[in-house]
């Protein structure tokens, strides 16, 4: 019984450590990618920003700051597919508070703020 409790405590500590490190990585730093999934390459970003402007996607307003790791509201925001020419990505994009963001569609979590 004692070994089970120790094993569960060790497992909880191992699982919690990456989450704590991930949360700390966004404090006091410029926006960065939270996940290691494929995003838009740096050299493709100017063309992608131009694409977003050309598409005239509606901008949404939220009362919170637009930062990496923030979760967007469940309703009221439309997400758009990133065209294949900007790289294969599972993320979607939208414009929130004037910022173009990449979002993980299932969790609605911002994974990158494109400047």
């Amino acid at each position: 019984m004692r070994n089970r409790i120790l094993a569960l405590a060790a497992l909880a500590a191992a699982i919690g450590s990456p989450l704590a490190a991930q949360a700390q990585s966004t404090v006091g730093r410029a926006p960065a990618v939270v996940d290691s999934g494929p995003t838009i390459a740096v050299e493709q970003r100017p063309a992608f920003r131009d694409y977003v402007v050309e598409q005239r996607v509606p901008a949404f307003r939220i009362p919170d700051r637009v930062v990496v790791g923030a979760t967007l509201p469940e309703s009221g925001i439309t997400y758009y597919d990133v065209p294949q020419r900007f790289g294969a990505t599972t993320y979607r994009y939208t414009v929130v508070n004037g910022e173009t963001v990449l979002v993980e569609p299932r969790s609605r979590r911002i994974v990158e703020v494109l400047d």
Side-chain angles (χ1 to χ4, degrees):
M1 181 69 161
R2 184 176 182 189
N3 288 341
R4 278 190 182 171
I5 292 171
L6 289 174
L8 287 175
L11 179 62
I15 291 172
S17 295
L19 294 177
Q22 184 178 32
Q24 290 175 356
S25 69
T26 60
V27 175
R29 295 185 182 197
V33 178
V34 173
D35 290 340
S36 59
T39 64
I40 298 169
V42 173
E43 62 273 2
Q44 288 282 343
R45 290 179 187 175
F48 181 70
R49 282 191 294 275
D50 291 343
Y51 169 81
V52 172
V53 170
E54 290 168 5
Q55 295 303 303
R56 297 181 182 209
V57 298
F60 298 94
R61 303 260 343 134
I62 60 171
D64 300 324
R65 288 184 30 197
V66 177
V67 295
V68 171
T71 301
L72 295 175
E74 195 168 335
S75 63
I77 296 181
T78 304
Y79 303 99
Y80 304 92
D81 291 330
V82 174
Q84 188 69 32
R85 70 179 186 235
F86 296 110
T89 182
T90 58
Y91 302 130
R92 300 233 164 69
Y93 77 93
T94 193
V95 179
V96 180
N97 296 356
E99 305 274 355
T100 300
V101 296
L102 291 181
V103 178
E104 199 291 313
R106 286 177 293 226
S107 66
R108 303 174 325 279
R109 187 170 52 92
I110 297 173
V111 295
E112 188 169 6
V113 178
L114 300 167
D115 49 14

